[in-house]
């Protein structure tokens, strides 16, 4: 793989709905706890990259029925996440401090994983962009490994950046009313992103 090709791929990788989840969990649980969610996002990205690299993504986009199934599942999952966050319980510690109830590490990882792996925009992006960085004259697997490591490294840094920025605002969300407003804001945002997925077309080129 040429260095210029690798650099182009670096700039092509950009964040999307996972950023909302990273900010939400960063603000609710802090950067360290949000790392579990971000790990799940990376696992989802690897699955999407593997689907696109194996050519399955192209077949998926060629079938309107299959694409609509994936799109509907992804949209409904984000709406479910948003609704769950909107209705999330708030744990009160004493009279002045409140916090969102922390899910288990397993659940945080699974939430991140499903957010990316059910996102049709990620599949569209990979199928549209990935072939531009793959040389047909070179072995496929080493190229996919380089792109996977590059993509996950960038996404880890970006998502942790979002989580860190959000966590820096935690001091403003100490009482139960503020935490509820935070949950409803991010819950509404996730539901809006999920609703927007219903309007994604197979010909769209967007990042996950």
């Amino acid at each position: 793989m040429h260095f210029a090709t690798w650099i182009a791929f670096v700039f092509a990788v950009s964040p999307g709905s996972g950023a909302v989840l990273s900010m939400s969990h960063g603000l609710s649980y802090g950067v360290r706890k949000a790392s579990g969610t971000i790990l799940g996002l990376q696992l989802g990205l690897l699955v999407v990259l593997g689907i696109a690299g194996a050519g399955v993504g192209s077949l998926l986009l060629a079938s309107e029925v299959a694409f609509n199934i994936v799109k509907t599942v992804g949209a409904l999952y984000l709406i479910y996440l948003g609704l769950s966050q909107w209705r999330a319980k708030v744990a009160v510690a004493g009279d002045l401090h409140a916090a969102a109830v922390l899910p288990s590490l397993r659940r945080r990882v699974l939430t991140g994983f499903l957010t990316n792996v059910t996102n049709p925009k990620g599949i569209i992006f990979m199928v549209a962009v990935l072939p531009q960085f793959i040389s047909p004259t070179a072995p496929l697997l080493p190229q996919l490994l380089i792109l996977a490591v590059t993509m996950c490294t960038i996404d880890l840094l970006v998502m942790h950046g979002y989580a860190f920025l959000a966590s820096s605002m935690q001091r403003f969300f100490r009482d139960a009313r503020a935490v509820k407003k935070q949950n409803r804001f991010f819950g509404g945002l996730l539901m809006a992103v999920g609703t927007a997925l219903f309007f994604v077309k197979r010909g769209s080129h967007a990042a996950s």
Side-chain angles (χ1 to χ4, degrees):
M1 176 180 292
H2 295 296
F3 181 72
T5 302
W6 178 79
I7 287 294
F9 181 78
V10 169
F11 287 104
V13 178
S14 58
S17 62
V20 177
L21 192 63
S22 297
M23 287 188 289
S24 171
H25 284 199
L27 182 56
S28 297
Y29 316 126
V31 178
R32 189 167 64 86
K33 297 294 193 300
S35 292
T37 308
I38 295 170
L39 172 62
L41 289 171
Q42 306 319 304
L43 295 175
L45 278 181
L46 289 175
V47 170
V48 172
L49 179 67
I51 289 173
V56 179
S58 297
L59 295 176
L60 177 62
L61 293 184
S63 169
E64 185 172 357
V65 173
F67 178 78
N68 284 335
I69 290 174
V70 172
K71 180 176 71 172
T72 301
V73 169
L76 290 177
Y77 180 69
L78 282 180
I79 292 172
Y80 162 76
L81 275 185
L83 185 60
S84 296
Q85 179 136 5
W86 183 284
R87 300 171 59 188
K89 295 181 179 178
V90 177
V92 179
D95 297 328
L96 299 176
H97 300 287
V101 177
L102 177 68
S104 67
L105 174 61
R106 180 178 179 179
R107 183 165 183 177
R108 278 175 278 144
V109 173
L110 184 61
T111 297
F113 174 77
L114 292 176
T115 296
N116 267 349
V117 84
T118 61
N119 187 353
K121 292 186 358 180
I123 298 174
I124 292 173
F125 174 76
M126 288 295 179
V127 172
V129 173
L130 197 62
Q132 302 177 42
F133 304 100
I134 297 294
S135 171
T137 60
L140 176 62
L141 185 57
Q143 296 182 81
L144 286 178
L145 289 175
I146 292 172
L147 296 178
V149 171
T150 302
M151 177 180 66
C152 287
T153 300
I154 292 172
D155 206 61
L156 276 170
L157 292 173
V158 171
M159 295 305 159
H160 274 98
Y162 283 131
F164 174 77
L165 289 174
S167 68
S168 67
M169 303 293 290
Q170 280 185 319
R171 63 184 182 276
F172 300 112
F173 294 90
R174 294 294 189 182
D175 61 90
R177 181 177 296 179
V179 174
K180 285 182 179 179
K181 287 182 179 179
Q182 164 205 322
N183 285 338
R184 289 179 177 180
F185 172 77
F186 282 108
L189 203 54
L190 285 169
M191 286 189 280
V193 172
T195 301
L197 283 186
F198 283 115
F199 301 96
V200 172
K201 304 297 182 182
R202 286 184 294 161
S204 303
H205 292 177
S208 65

